[in-house]
Amino acid sequence: MENIELVHLAKKGDLYAFEQLLLRHEKIVYHIVLRMMGEGAGVEDLSQEVFLKVYRHLPQFDEKSAFSTWIYRIAVNTCIDEMRKRKGKQTYSLEAEIEAMDGSYHRQFADNGDTPEQSVLRQELREEVLSAMESLSPEHKAVVVLRDIQGFSYEEISEMTGATLGTVKSRLSRARLHLKEQIVKKRERKIKKIRQKKGKEGNES
C-alpha cells in the first residue's frame, strides 16, 4: 500500500495504518536523531517524541509534500529545538557513535579493500569529522546530517528545513568549511604536542 493511502486511513483513525507508516520511516528518523544528537543523548526518547508529534499533527498534514519529507522535517526541527535547550549541557559519546555506524558514512568513507594502515587513517578521519560536527550550530549540523550522511537532495533538505535552496547550499558550504578548519586545527595541535614531547625527550637525554 502506498504511503498516501496509509495516510488517508491513519487520518480516519486507523491505528494499524499509522503503525505501518512509522515502521517504514522509523529507521531514518532514528538515524537523523542519532546523528544530530549523538549516542547517549536520549535518542530513543527523542525519536518517540517525533512520532508522538507526527500522530498529533497528522490531521494537519496537507499532503503538498511527501509524507517522508514531512516526518523528517519534524525529526530535524525536534532535534534543533532540543539542541538549543541542551546548549552547553549535552553529553556525547564519540565511541558509541562510531560503533553505531551501519553504513551511513559509506559514501564518504567507503571500504575499498584498505590496508590496515589505511583503515586506521580512515577511522581517525571518521572520528575527526564526528568530533568537529559537535561545534556546528544546530542549523548547520542539520544540513550536514541530511546531505552528507543521509544523502538527501538539496531540494528535499529545503523542504525539510523550511530554508530556501540557496540557504541550504550556503549552510552546507559553510559547515563543510568549518569542519575542515576544525580538523586542521586539531591535527596542528596534535603535531605540536608530538614535537613538544620529542623536544623534552631530547633534552632529557
Side-chain angles (χ1 to χ4, degrees):
M1 190 178 294
E2 296 292 329
N3 276 346
I4 196 63
E5 295 177 79
L6 291 172
V7 167
H8 290 161
L9 290 173
K11 281 185 173 182
K12 294 176 182 178
D14 189 327
L15 292 179
Y16 177 76
F18 182 72
E19 182 181 353
Q20 292 305 304
L21 284 171
L22 295 193
L23 287 173
R24 290 182 182 185
H25 301 92
E26 63 179 353
K27 186 174 181 180
I28 294 183
V29 167
Y30 177 85
H31 280 286
I32 287 174
V33 175
L34 175 65
R35 305 305 180 218
M36 289 284 289
M37 304 304 299
E39 186 75 19
V43 176
E44 292 282 356
D45 290 341
L46 208 55
S47 297
Q48 289 304 312
E49 184 179 332
V50 171
F51 293 131
L52 284 173
K53 287 181 179 180
V54 171
Y55 181 74
R56 286 198 296 265
H57 297 290
L58 187 62
Q60 285 79 53
F61 174 49
D62 57 16
E63 302 175 29
K64 290 181 180 178
S65 62
F67 178 77
S68 56
T69 301
W70 183 69
I71 192 172
Y72 301 151
R73 181 192 307 151
I74 292 175
V76 170
N77 288 335
T78 299
C79 288
I80 288 176
D81 290 342
E82 188 64 20
M83 288 172 74
R84 286 173 178 160
K85 289 179 188 175
R86 296 185 188 184
K87 191 175 182 181
K89 303 176 183 178
Q90 186 173 340
T91 57
Y92 182 76
S93 172
L94 181 61
E95 182 179 357
E97 168 79 357
I98 292 167
E99 288 176 356
M101 287 183 176
D102 62 353
S104 296
Y105 265 90
H106 186 73
R107 285 178 295 278
Q108 298 105 299
F109 307 114
D111 181 2
N112 297 314
D114 291 344
T115 65
E117 292 80 7
Q118 289 172 324
S119 295
V120 170
L121 291 174
R122 198 177 298 280
Q123 181 74 0
E124 287 180 357
L125 175 59
R126 201 180 272 129
E127 293 177 15
E128 288 173 338
V129 171
L130 289 171
S131 180
M133 280 180 65
E134 290 310 292
S135 63
L136 291 172
S137 70
E139 290 80 9
H140 285 79
K141 190 173 184 180
V143 294
V144 171
V145 169
L146 294 172
R147 178 61 182 171
D148 291 340
I149 298 179
Q150 297 300 143
F152 290 110
S153 69
Y154 294 115
E155 290 77 11
E156 289 171 321
I157 296 170
S158 177
E159 283 194 64
M160 290 177 199
T161 60
T164 65
L165 205 58
T167 299
V168 169
K169 291 180 179 180
S170 175
R171 285 178 180 173
L172 186 61
S173 178
R174 291 179 182 178
R176 286 170 173 169
L177 179 60
H178 178 80
L179 290 176
K180 183 178 178 180
E181 289 174 346
Q182 290 299 306
I183 291 171
V184 168
K185 287 179 182 178
K186 186 174 182 179
R187 289 179 179 178
E188 287 175 346
R189 287 194 297 267
K190 188 176 180 180
I191 291 171
K192 186 176 180 180
K193 285 181 180 179
I194 291 173
R195 287 175 176 171
Q196 288 175 341
K197 185 178 179 181
K198 285 184 177 179
K200 288 180 180 179
E201 290 175 349
N203 292 332
E204 290 173 358
S205 61

